[in-house]
Every structure is written in structure tokens, then in C-alpha cells.
Amino acid sequence: MITTAKRLEIIEEYYFSSKLREVRQLASEGKPIINMGIGSPDLKPSQAVIDAVVLAMQEENAHQYQSYQGLPELRQGMADFYENNYGVDLNPNTEILPLMGSKEGIMHISLAFLNEGDQVLIPNPGYPTYTSVTNLVGAVPVYYDLKEANNWEPDFEALEKLDLSKVKIMWMGYPHMPTGARGSLQLFEKLVAFAKKHNILLINDNPYSFVLNDNPMSLLQVDGAKEVALELNS
């Protein structure tokens, strides 16, 4: 058998993969299961969406390789979305990149910025993929606790006591998964200031800003955030 790369020795099965297997086993035993593992849609797309997909497949160039940066019209639509919903001005040519999903973004960002031995601040609790990808690229996870007593927000006093000299990336995400904490612009301002102070790339994983929320926010609303921050959205 061909020997695999050493990095695979520290990679475990994806958290949700093992949990979903447990769910299937319990269901097969007749147990009543409410699956809260992955937010997979339980409603099919509207007919208008289905019609648009069918129409797109009939376009003259639909069978060809697409642009590496995504269609200009798509990137412009994303820029318009940010302007209309967050009041954030983004250049569709230089500040937006369509992805297949957040996992792709997490991997590419980590590959682009992390060297072996660099440290990464990861929220606890938080999305398991942050840890998986950090380990995969040879970096070191450093967990910062989110506690209910602090509204599930970072404890900046505790963070300042850490040796941050090797920290390159800090992952965050509000509205937060799995606690549901919404965060605030004041929190975002503190996070941007913290990232600037310690020369850390701050990344907001922001797929839930419109879920049960009348006040959607973006980290990029903070003045100067673009100097130290990226945001994933969907």
C-alpha cells in the first residue's frame, strides 16, 4: 500500500460525518431523532430558481470552463448585495471571490497565510472545520473560550494575556454557531482593533446574518476592517 502523507496522521474523521453515522444508527434502531447536526434545507428551491437553473444550462457557453474568479455579473451581484444589505462598498474585481462553500475558503485562506508552526485562534465552541484545516496545514490551534456569562463573546483580557507572537489568523463568526449569539458592531470594532494591534488576520464566518435577525451585520462595516479582515458569506 502506498504510504500516505504524514499530515494525515493528525487528521481525524470529520465531526459531522461521525455524528451523522450515529444518527443513522439510532434511526435504524427506531429511536425518535431530531437531527440538529447540519443546517441542510428541508424545503426544495422555488420553481423560479429551478427554472433559472434550467435556463442557465441552455446558455451557449454553459458547457465550457468558467472564469477562475466567477462571472463578472455574479461578482457585481455580490457587491450589490453587500451595498444594499450592509452598506459596505466592495470592488467586484478585486475584493470578491465566489467559492464552492466555506470549507473551500477556509482551506485556501489557511494555505495562503499559514506556515508550519504558526498559531490560529479558534473559538470554543465553534465550527470544527477551523481546527481540521489548521491541523492539515501544519499550524497550531489555540482555543479561546466563549462563555454565556460574557454573552458568548471573546474575553479580550484573557486574550491579551496569551503569547500572541506566533498567532497569524483568528477565526470568528457572528451570529455565532452553535450558540446563536448575534454579536454587535461594538464587538466587531473591538475585534478589528485587537487584530490590528497584534497583526492578526481576522476572518468572520458570516452565513447566518439573516437568520431570525432584523439587523444583519458585516465585519466589513467597521472602518479599517479591510486592512486586517476577510469575510465568508453565503
Side-chain angles (χ1 to χ4, degrees), residues 86-105:
Y86 303 118
V88 172
D89 180 32
L90 295 176
N91 185 323
N93 296 318
T94 60
E95 296 181 316
I96 293 176
L97 182 65
L99 303 170
M100 295 297 291
S102 65
K103 289 187 184 67
E104 180 188 11

PDB file of all heavy atoms in Angstrom, residues 86-105:
ATOM      1  N   TYR A  86     -25.653  45.680   3.861  1.00  0.00           N
ATOM      2  CA  TYR A  86     -24.726  46.029   4.932  1.00  0.00           C
ATOM      3  C   TYR A  86     -24.184  47.458   4.815  1.00  0.00           C
ATOM      4  O   TYR A  86     -23.521  47.936   5.734  1.00  0.00           O
ATOM      5  CB  TYR A  86     -23.523  45.076   4.940  1.00  0.00           C
ATOM      6  CG  TYR A  86     -23.862  43.614   5.072  1.00  0.00           C
ATOM      7  CD1 TYR A  86     -23.525  42.708   4.058  1.00  0.00           C
ATOM      8  CD2 TYR A  86     -24.484  43.104   6.203  1.00  0.00           C
ATOM      9  CE1 TYR A  86     -23.814  41.360   4.175  1.00  0.00           C
ATOM     10  CE2 TYR A  86     -24.771  41.757   6.332  1.00  0.00           C
ATOM     11  CZ  TYR A  86     -24.426  40.891   5.308  1.00  0.00           C
ATOM     12  OH  TYR A  86     -24.709  39.543   5.433  1.00  0.00           O
ATOM     13  N   GLY A  87     -24.435  48.114   3.671  1.00  0.00           N
ATOM     14  CA  GLY A  87     -23.850  49.433   3.454  1.00  0.00           C
ATOM     15  C   GLY A  87     -22.347  49.379   3.264  1.00  0.00           C
ATOM     16  O   GLY A  87     -21.640  50.343   3.549  1.00  0.00           O
ATOM     17  N   VAL A  88     -21.847  48.250   2.766  1.00  0.00           N
ATOM     18  CA  VAL A  88     -20.406  48.052   2.563  1.00  0.00           C
ATOM     19  C   VAL A  88     -20.088  48.134   1.071  1.00  0.00           C
ATOM     20  O   VAL A  88     -20.712  47.458   0.256  1.00  0.00           O
ATOM     21  CB  VAL A  88     -19.958  46.682   3.125  1.00  0.00           C
ATOM     22  CG1 VAL A  88     -18.513  46.395   2.742  1.00  0.00           C
ATOM     23  CG2 VAL A  88     -20.125  46.662   4.638  1.00  0.00           C
ATOM     24  N   ASP A  89     -19.109  48.950   0.726  1.00  0.00           N
ATOM     25  CA  ASP A  89     -18.692  49.129  -0.664  1.00  0.00           C
ATOM     26  C   ASP A  89     -17.539  48.183  -0.970  1.00  0.00           C
ATOM     27  O   ASP A  89     -16.472  48.287  -0.363  1.00  0.00           O
ATOM     28  CB  ASP A  89     -18.268  50.581  -0.887  1.00  0.00           C
ATOM     29  CG  ASP A  89     -17.823  50.836  -2.329  1.00  0.00           C
ATOM     30  OD1 ASP A  89     -18.360  50.183  -3.235  1.00  0.00           O
ATOM     31  OD2 ASP A  89     -16.926  51.682  -2.542  1.00  0.00           O
ATOM     32  N   LEU A  90     -17.752  47.255  -1.894  1.00  0.00           N
ATOM     33  CA  LEU A  90     -16.728  46.291  -2.288  1.00  0.00           C
ATOM     34  C   LEU A  90     -16.464  46.388  -3.785  1.00  0.00           C
ATOM     35  O   LEU A  90     -17.391  46.568  -4.584  1.00  0.00           O
ATOM     36  CB  LEU A  90     -17.169  44.865  -1.946  1.00  0.00           C
ATOM     37  CG  LEU A  90     -17.343  44.518  -0.464  1.00  0.00           C
ATOM     38  CD1 LEU A  90     -17.874  43.096  -0.316  1.00  0.00           C
ATOM     39  CD2 LEU A  90     -16.029  44.671   0.289  1.00  0.00           C
ATOM     40  N   ASN A  91     -15.201  46.252  -4.155  1.00  0.00           N
ATOM     41  CA  ASN A  91     -14.831  46.237  -5.568  1.00  0.00           C
ATOM     42  C   ASN A  91     -15.023  44.817  -6.095  1.00  0.00           C
ATOM     43  O   ASN A  91     -14.338  43.894  -5.650  1.00  0.00           O
ATOM     44  CB  ASN A  91     -13.372  46.667  -5.724  1.00  0.00           C
ATOM     45  CG  ASN A  91     -12.959  46.789  -7.177  1.00  0.00           C
ATOM     46  OD1 ASN A  91     -13.377  46.016  -8.021  1.00  0.00           O
ATOM     47  ND2 ASN A  91     -12.118  47.774  -7.472  1.00  0.00           N
ATOM     48  N   PRO A  92     -15.954  44.608  -7.030  1.00  0.00           N
ATOM     49  CA  PRO A  92     -16.225  43.248  -7.505  1.00  0.00           C
ATOM     50  C   PRO A  92     -15.053  42.599  -8.223  1.00  0.00           C
ATOM     51  O   PRO A  92     -14.993  41.375  -8.346  1.00  0.00           O
ATOM     52  CB  PRO A  92     -17.420  43.429  -8.451  1.00  0.00           C
ATOM     53  CG  PRO A  92     -17.349  44.859  -8.876  1.00  0.00           C
ATOM     54  CD  PRO A  92     -16.790  45.612  -7.703  1.00  0.00           C
ATOM     55  N   ASN A  93     -14.089  43.398  -8.670  1.00  0.00           N
ATOM     56  CA  ASN A  93     -12.957  42.859  -9.412  1.00  0.00           C
ATOM     57  C   ASN A  93     -11.792  42.458  -8.517  1.00  0.00           C
ATOM     58  O   ASN A  93     -10.989  41.595  -8.894  1.00  0.00           O
ATOM     59  CB  ASN A  93     -12.471  43.879 -10.441  1.00  0.00           C
ATOM     60  CG  ASN A  93     -13.521  44.176 -11.495  1.00  0.00           C
ATOM     61  OD1 ASN A  93     -14.189  43.265 -11.981  1.00  0.00           O
ATOM     62  ND2 ASN A  93     -13.676  45.442 -11.831  1.00  0.00           N
ATOM     63  N   THR A  94     -11.679  43.074  -7.340  1.00  0.00           N
ATOM     64  CA  THR A  94     -10.501  42.829  -6.504  1.00  0.00           C
ATOM     65  C   THR A  94     -10.824  42.391  -5.082  1.00  0.00           C
ATOM     66  O   THR A  94      -9.919  41.965  -4.358  1.00  0.00           O
ATOM     67  CB  THR A  94      -9.635  44.105  -6.414  1.00  0.00           C
ATOM     68  OG1 THR A  94     -10.422  45.168  -5.835  1.00  0.00           O
ATOM     69  CG2 THR A  94      -9.156  44.532  -7.797  1.00  0.00           C
ATOM     70  N   GLU A  95     -12.082  42.483  -4.663  1.00  0.00           N
ATOM     71  CA  GLU A  95     -12.410  42.208  -3.270  1.00  0.00           C
ATOM     72  C   GLU A  95     -13.454  41.114  -3.090  1.00  0.00           C
ATOM     73  O   GLU A  95     -13.887  40.871  -1.972  1.00  0.00           O
ATOM     74  CB  GLU A  95     -12.893  43.491  -2.587  1.00  0.00           C
ATOM     75  CG  GLU A  95     -11.824  44.570  -2.520  1.00  0.00           C
ATOM     76  CD  GLU A  95     -12.294  45.822  -1.816  1.00  0.00           C
ATOM     77  OE1 GLU A  95     -13.431  46.266  -2.094  1.00  0.00           O
ATOM     78  OE2 GLU A  95     -11.533  46.356  -0.986  1.00  0.00           O
ATOM     79  N   ILE A  96     -13.834  40.434  -4.157  1.00  0.00           N
ATOM     80  CA  ILE A  96     -14.855  39.391  -4.070  1.00  0.00           C
ATOM     81  C   ILE A  96     -14.387  38.169  -4.853  1.00  0.00           C
ATOM     82  O   ILE A  96     -13.897  38.291  -5.977  1.00  0.00           O
ATOM     83  CB  ILE A  96     -16.203  39.877  -4.633  1.00  0.00           C
ATOM     84  CG1 ILE A  96     -16.782  40.981  -3.742  1.00  0.00           C
ATOM     85  CG2 ILE A  96     -17.193  38.725  -4.753  1.00  0.00           C
ATOM     86  CD1 ILE A  96     -18.064  41.584  -4.266  1.00  0.00           C
ATOM     87  N   LEU A  97     -14.551  36.983  -4.235  1.00  0.00           N
ATOM     88  CA  LEU A  97     -14.215  35.735  -4.914  1.00  0.00           C
ATOM     89  C   LEU A  97     -15.285  34.693  -4.601  1.00  0.00           C
ATOM     90  O   LEU A  97     -15.445  34.292  -3.451  1.00  0.00           O
ATOM     91  CB  LEU A  97     -12.847  35.217  -4.454  1.00  0.00           C
ATOM     92  CG  LEU A  97     -12.366  33.937  -5.138  1.00  0.00           C
ATOM     93  CD1 LEU A  97     -12.120  34.188  -6.629  1.00  0.00           C
ATOM     94  CD2 LEU A  97     -11.099  33.410  -4.471  1.00  0.00           C
ATOM     95  N   PRO A  98     -16.044  34.235  -5.598  1.00  0.00           N
ATOM     96  CA  PRO A  98     -17.037  33.184  -5.365  1.00  0.00           C
ATOM     97  C   PRO A  98     -16.351  31.862  -5.027  1.00  0.00           C
ATOM     98  O   PRO A  98     -15.298  31.537  -5.579  1.00  0.00           O
ATOM     99  CB  PRO A  98     -17.772  33.084  -6.707  1.00  0.00           C
ATOM    100  CG  PRO A  98     -17.483  34.364  -7.415  1.00  0.00           C
ATOM    101  CD  PRO A  98     -16.105  34.761  -6.973  1.00  0.00           C
ATOM    102  N   LEU A  99     -16.958  31.104  -4.123  1.00  0.00           N
ATOM    103  CA  LEU A  99     -16.424  29.824  -3.678  1.00  0.00           C
ATOM    104  C   LEU A  99     -17.491  28.741  -3.819  1.00  0.00           C
ATOM    105  O   LEU A  99     -18.680  29.031  -3.919  1.00  0.00           O
ATOM    106  CB  LEU A  99     -15.985  29.897  -2.214  1.00  0.00           C
ATOM    107  CG  LEU A  99     -14.949  30.965  -1.841  1.00  0.00           C
ATOM    108  CD1 LEU A  99     -14.833  31.058  -0.325  1.00  0.00           C
ATOM    109  CD2 LEU A  99     -13.606  30.624  -2.465  1.00  0.00           C
ATOM    110  N   MET A 100     -17.049  27.491  -3.766  1.00  0.00           N
ATOM    111  CA  MET A 100     -17.984  26.379  -3.736  1.00  0.00           C
ATOM    112  C   MET A 100     -18.656  26.259  -2.369  1.00  0.00           C
ATOM    113  O   MET A 100     -19.722  25.697  -2.233  1.00  0.00           O
ATOM    114  CB  MET A 100     -17.257  25.072  -4.066  1.00  0.00           C
ATOM    115  CG  MET A 100     -16.708  25.021  -5.469  1.00  0.00           C
ATOM    116  SD  MET A 100     -18.000  25.095  -6.732  1.00  0.00           S
ATOM    117  CE  MET A 100     -18.781  23.505  -6.498  1.00  0.00           C
ATOM    118  N   GLY A 101     -18.014  26.791  -1.343  1.00  0.00           N
ATOM    119  CA  GLY A 101     -18.544  26.732   0.013  1.00  0.00           C
ATOM    120  C   GLY A 101     -17.508  27.245   0.985  1.00  0.00           C
ATOM    121  O   GLY A 101     -16.360  27.506   0.618  1.00  0.00           O
ATOM    122  N   SER A 102     -17.896  27.382   2.255  1.00  0.00           N
ATOM    123  CA  SER A 102     -16.981  27.961   3.235  1.00  0.00           C
ATOM    124  C   SER A 102     -15.760  27.079   3.467  1.00  0.00           C
ATOM    125  O   SER A 102     -14.670  27.589   3.735  1.00  0.00           O
ATOM    126  CB  SER A 102     -17.716  28.204   4.556  1.00  0.00           C
ATOM    127  OG  SER A 102     -18.129  26.985   5.141  1.00  0.00           O
ATOM    128  N   LYS A 103     -15.914  25.757   3.381  1.00  0.00           N
ATOM    129  CA  LYS A 103     -14.758  24.875   3.595  1.00  0.00           C
ATOM    130  C   LYS A 103     -13.648  25.189   2.593  1.00  0.00           C
ATOM    131  O   LYS A 103     -12.466  25.177   2.941  1.00  0.00           O
ATOM    132  CB  LYS A 103     -15.165  23.405   3.491  1.00  0.00           C
ATOM    133  CG  LYS A 103     -16.021  22.882   4.631  1.00  0.00           C
ATOM    134  CD  LYS A 103     -16.213  21.386   4.501  1.00  0.00           C
ATOM    135  CE  LYS A 103     -17.149  20.847   5.582  1.00  0.00           C
ATOM    136  NZ  LYS A 103     -18.531  21.334   5.414  1.00  0.00           N
ATOM    137  N   GLU A 104     -14.015  25.457   1.347  1.00  0.00           N
ATOM    138  CA  GLU A 104     -13.013  25.817   0.342  1.00  0.00           C
ATOM    139  C   GLU A 104     -12.310  27.101   0.752  1.00  0.00           C
ATOM    140  O   GLU A 104     -11.080  27.212   0.669  1.00  0.00           O
ATOM    141  CB  GLU A 104     -13.671  25.991  -1.023  1.00  0.00           C
ATOM    142  CG  GLU A 104     -12.673  26.364  -2.115  1.00  0.00           C
ATOM    143  CD  GLU A 104     -13.331  26.723  -3.435  1.00  0.00           C
ATOM    144  OE1 GLU A 104     -14.566  26.891  -3.472  1.00  0.00           O
ATOM    145  OE2 GLU A 104     -12.596  26.858  -4.422  1.00  0.00           O
ATOM    146  N   GLY A 105     -13.080  28.084   1.221  1.00  0.00           N
ATOM    147  CA  GLY A 105     -12.486  29.336   1.646  1.00  0.00           C
ATOM    148  C   GLY A 105     -11.563  29.165   2.833  1.00  0.00           C
ATOM    149  O   GLY A 105     -10.464  29.729   2.873  1.00  0.00           O
TER     150      GLY A 105
END
